[in-house]
Amino acid sequence: QKEVEQNSGPLSVPEGAIASLNCTYSDRGSQSFFWYRQYSGKSPELIMSIYSNGDKEDGRFTAQLNKASQYVSLLIRDSQPSDSATYLCAVRDSGGGADGLTFGKGTHLIIQP
Amino acid sequence: GAVVSQHPSRVICKSGTSVKIECRSLDFQATTMFWYRQFPKQSLMLMATSNEGSKATYEQGVEKDKFLINHASLTLSTLTVTSAHPEDSSFYICSAPGPSNYGYTFGSGTRLTVV
């Protein structure tokens, strides 16, 4: 059974600091990796996607992927109170769009003003 | 950008009744729709995958006779919770691949409360 593991937190980070979120996955065949942000009572919204080993940067966000270690991370620079949310790591094992995502339980991030 | 419109956003129903949830892709064709369920403080769990013109596939442990899925067209998929019970109370979210090759578009979710 495919599993995606995240530390549930809460992870508390001072405003302006770097928040580091981690995720491991069990299926070595996984091809696509996603980070979603979910506010309470709302649907997930895509923050970053990453498909190959290394780093991918988009504004204040950097996703890191290491397939050998089956590890994905998300760094949030210059953290803002509005970044406080639950961050979900999601994995898909095929290269196309036919498979649903397997989600981790999420990390609750709190940015302290 | 791509939008999946999900309705209703909230519904309260009596135990034993049925509830229908609709998801429409507004500006792209969704041949596939994924249905997730999320209990409080839990992650999204994939329930089933609907495909336009064919039967839905259900994940292990999900009762296909209780959660009826219909994918009538390339832009509409529905989930009907039949004979709802309080334990079916949850947050239901649909998601469609696309329109790009790797992205997913999520609906806004439906909060179902069965009393």
Side-chain angles (χ1 to χ4, degrees):
Chain A
Q1 184 172 349
K2 292 176 262 187
E3 293 184 349
V4 178
E5 299 288 339
Q6 293 181 257
N7 189 323
S8 61
L11 174 64
S12 186
V13 173
E15 182 176 358
I18 296 175
S20 178
L21 306 166
N22 304 314
C23 170
T24 59
Y25 59 95
S26 63
D27 185 359
R28 282 197 170 274
S30 299
Q31 296 288 328
S32 307
F33 307 87
F34 306 85
W35 282 100
Y36 286 87
R37 177 173 62 195
Q38 186 178 29
Y39 294 111
S40 180
K42 301 296 184 181
S43 189
E45 54 179 321
L46 181 66
I47 298 296
M48 292 280 288
S49 60
I50 188 166
Y51 311 109
S52 55
N53 282 327
D55 295 0
K56 179 181 177 182
E57 185 175 320
D58 184 1
R60 294 187 297 113
F61 301 95
T62 299
Q64 299 172 318
L65 173 61
N66 184 325
K67 289 187 178 179
S69 300
Q70 296 175 238
Y71 175 88
V72 194
S73 66
L74 178 70
L75 300 177
I76 306 174
R77 289 181 298 281
D78 189 24
S79 297
Q80 303 296 311
S82 59
D83 295 327
S84 299
T86 296
Y87 288 79
L88 302 170
C89 175
V91 173
R92 186 178 67 198
D93 62 1
S94 77
D99 289 348
L101 298 175
T102 301
F103 284 87
K105 290 187 176 181
T107 297
H108 183 202
L109 176 64
I110 299 172
I111 306 300
Q112 296 177 321
Chain B
V3 175
V4 171
S5 177
Q6 183 171 349
H7 293 281
S9 57
R10 287 181 179 272
V11 59
I12 301 173
C13 71
K14 291 185 177 180
S15 185
T17 62
S18 296
V19 172
K20 179 185 282 189
I21 301 170
E22 288 190 352
C23 280
R24 293 180 183 272
S25 56
L26 297 186
D27 47 7
F28 68 103
Q29 293 183 335
T31 55
T32 300
M33 190 73 75
F34 301 107
W35 288 92
Y36 295 88
R37 178 169 55 183
Q38 186 178 34
F39 292 107
K41 298 191 184 301
Q42 298 295 314
S43 189
L44 281 76
M45 296 297 294
L46 181 64
M47 298 175 64
T49 303
S50 73
N51 296 288
E52 189 268 338
S54 63
K55 289 184 178 180
T57 56
Y58 291 80
E59 297 299 305
Q60 191 173 5
V62 178
E63 300 174 58
K64 61 180 181 180
D65 294 330
K66 181 171 183 63
F67 299 99
L68 301 180
I69 289 174
N70 184 277
H71 200 132
S73 72
L74 289 173
T75 59
L76 175 63
S77 177
T78 62
L79 167 67
T80 301
V81 183
T82 63
S83 186
H85 288 96
E87 57 265 31
D88 298 322
S89 299
S90 188
F91 191 48
Y92 292 84
I93 309 172
C94 61
S95 174
S100 66
N101 284 337
Y102 293 94
Y104 289 82
T105 303
F106 280 81
S108 55
T110 298
R111 173 73 60 190
L112 171 63
T113 303
V114 185
V115 297

